Amino acid sequence: YSQSKIQSKILRECLPVFSRMGVTKVRAVFSDLDGTLCHFDRDTRKHGVVTEEDPLTPGEATVRNTHTGETRRCRLLPTSTMGNGVVSDETARLVGELRKAGVIFVVVSGARSSTIMKRLPLLPHLDAAVSETGSRVMYAPEGE
């Protein structure tokens, strides 16, 4: 695939909102972390979605919708002031597809840099992370 074909595929499959807006090329995505890419059991439980830690694989969990039975494999992030958070493997896959297509992906968070540093190994590969409400910017090492 050429880069433009990959971008078109991503726009069709991964970013339907952009497609409907007529956006034909995405150069960068800046995403909030907590509550957007990362979800917390304390927030999702009230909607019938529960997090079940995998006792055999530390750092992994299954998120289960108690209404539909649907499950999703997730990465279990270290505890924060909001409790344990999860990022789905599907989210990580989609971020990877964006980056393969040449889209810069940045997470933005009000969290402390120390919290972000603990979470980085479990987050999808990023080009940069912004923390402490914009006062710190961390770039990925070259080649990652």
Side-chain angles (χ1 to χ4, degrees), residues 50-62:
V50 295
T51 301
E52 301 163 344
E53 292 185 44
D54 186 337
L56 301 176
T57 313
E60 293 188 17
T62 298

Side-chain angles (χ1 to χ4, degrees), residues 21-136:
M21 293 168 47
V23 174
T24 59
K25 183 170 175 97
V26 175
R27 293 193 176 129
V29 172
F30 291 78
S31 176
D32 180 45
L33 184 58
D34 296 332
T36 304
L37 292 181
C38 172
H39 299 282
F40 298 91
D41 193 52
R42 74 174 198 179
D43 297 325
T44 60
R45 188 172 287 275
K46 62 187 165 199
H47 301 289
V49 178
V50 295
T51 301
E52 301 163 344
E53 292 185 44
D54 186 337
L56 301 176
T57 313
E60 293 188 17
T62 298
V63 172
R64 183 173 48 86
N65 184 319
T66 59
H67 302 297
T68 66
E70 178 188 3
T71 62
R72 194 168 283 202
R73 292 296 298 165
C74 296
R75 301 165 181 195
L76 187 63
L77 300 180
T79 301
S80 72
T81 54
M82 296 173 70
N84 285 335
V86 293
V87 174
S88 74
D89 289 346
E90 179 65 2
T91 296
R93 186 190 71 75
L94 292 172
V95 169
E97 289 291 319
L98 286 168
R99 293 187 72 234
K100 279 185 208 170
V103 176
I104 296 168
F105 197 89
V106 180
V107 294
V108 181
S109 177
R112 290 175 288 215
S113 295
S114 60
T115 300
I116 296 296
M117 293 303 290
K118 289 177 192 170
R119 291 177 167 188
L120 278 176
L122 297 167
L123 293 174
H125 290 286
L126 308 169
D127 293 288
V130 179
S131 62
E132 300 186 25
T133 317
S135 65
R136 302 278 188 261

Side-chain angles (χ1 to χ4, degrees), residues 1-10 25 97 100-102:
Y1 282 127
S2 69
Q3 187 170 343
S4 63
K5 283 186 180 179
I6 292 171
Q7 282 222 346
S8 295
K9 179 180 183 269
I10 290 168
K25 183 170 175 97
E97 289 291 319
K100 279 185 208 170

